[in-house]
Amino acid sequence: ETGVTQSPTHLIKTRGQQVTLRCSSQSGHNTVSWYQQALGQGPQFIFQYYREEENGRGNFPPRFSGLQFPNYSSELNVNALELDDSALYLCASSLGGRGIQETQYFGPGTRLLVL
Amino acid sequence: GNSVTQMEGPVTLSEEAFLTINCTYTATGYPSLFWYVQYPGEGLQLLLKATKADDKGSNKGFEATYRKETTSFHLEKGSVQVSDSAVYFCALFKTGANNLFFGTGTRLTVIP
């Protein structure tokens, strides 16, 4: 069974640029959630995708957007990068979505630095 | 709303000491409760979970009991090892919501 994978592992961007982060969900999982973890903080929910549709969103502006593909992999896009977007971005996959109580399994994360 | 409060760290213990990391939560109904661990430079790994009151989650010598009367899910281990050094996150999942709510994490350092 393949776990959750994310790419790239590290990324450096400058303010105003755009970035795309990628996530492959664990085999058999149809739900992907994205979290932002600032240094020294707990992860904060960005949004979730279930069967290619957005299924809930946290308190993040519209310049954070996403996609889920038919194979359940997912992308997180961030436009007009700001310094405060520097963080570890975590992807988690699970089975069920729509508020069903299923354990989320996390990938290793992408560390984004915005200069 | 839903929230999790963890004891502030960092926590430094000698090898073989007893560990307790406190976690309390605020949520309506009956959330599921989790402990995740994050080793340096890595993502989160599920350590243990409990889905209903009085359940005890356990893994790798760690235990936590879901106490609805005190809205707590404290993490314990009888004898810590150097390899347990990591950041520990308590989290809840509320049925009907879409996401985990995390505490701010507690950094544990175990010294030989």
Side-chain angles (χ1 to χ4, degrees):
Chain A
E1 185 178 89
T2 306
V4 180
T5 60
Q6 293 186 243
S7 63
T9 55
H10 296 81
L11 205 50
I12 300 175
K13 292 286 189 178
T14 56
R15 271 187 306 174
Q17 285 188 311
Q18 179 266 342
V19 69
T20 297
L21 311 181
R22 295 179 175 82
C23 170
S24 292
S25 59
Q26 186 166 312
S27 177
H29 286 182
N30 57 12
T31 302
V32 172
S33 304
W34 286 92
Y35 293 81
Q36 180 195 66
Q37 185 181 12
L39 198 62
Q41 299 297 315
Q44 298 291 317
F45 176 66
I46 303 174
F47 45 57
Q48 183 183 84
Y49 279 83
Y50 170 61
R51 293 186 175 178
E52 302 179 58
E53 292 186 1
E54 189 177 288
N55 183 42
R57 188 178 184 92
N59 189 26
F60 280 81
R63 59 190 185 83
F64 286 77
S65 63
L67 282 174
Q68 188 178 32
F69 300 98
N71 66 355
Y72 303 130
S73 66
S74 177
E75 288 183 353
L76 164 65
N77 299 290
V78 187
N79 293 321
L81 283 166
E82 301 177 0
L83 297 180
D84 284 349
D85 295 333
S86 295
L88 180 67
Y89 288 85
L90 295 165
C91 166
S93 78
S94 57
L95 181 63
R98 299 213 185 282
I100 295 174
Q101 200 175 101
E102 285 291 341
T103 302
Q104 297 188 11
Y105 295 90
F106 285 80
T110 294
R111 189 164 296 282
L112 172 64
L113 177 61
V114 182
L115 301 175
Chain B
N2 301 307
S3 66
V4 173
T5 302
Q6 285 183 240
M7 70 183 277
E8 301 234 347
V11 174
T12 301
L13 294 173
S14 296
E15 205 165 22
E16 299 183 3
F18 184 85
L19 168 70
T20 299
I21 301 178
N22 290 339
C23 170
T24 58
Y25 69 89
T26 300
T28 57
Y30 299 89
S32 291
L33 301 173
F34 301 81
W35 278 99
Y36 281 86
V37 59
Q38 187 172 38
Y39 297 101
E42 297 185 11
L44 300 178
Q45 296 180 24
L46 176 66
L47 182 58
L48 53 84
K49 69 176 184 179
T51 58
K52 61 183 188 296
D54 299 325
D55 266 3
K56 177 184 284 188
S58 61
N59 186 28
K60 301 181 181 179
F62 291 90
E63 293 183 340
T65 301
Y66 189 144
R67 301 285 188 202
K68 185 154 179 68
E69 63 275 14
T70 54
T71 61
S72 65
F73 193 55
H74 305 321
L75 182 68
E76 296 182 337
K77 187 175 185 182
S79 176
V80 294
Q81 305 300 312
V82 172
S83 57
D84 294 327
S85 298
V87 181
Y88 292 81
F89 291 94
C90 185
L92 72 83
F93 185 97
K94 178 75 196 313
T95 301
N98 309 88
N99 58 286
L100 290 161
F101 295 87
F102 285 90
T104 54
T106 302
R107 180 176 298 279
L108 169 67
T109 301
V110 180
I111 54 177

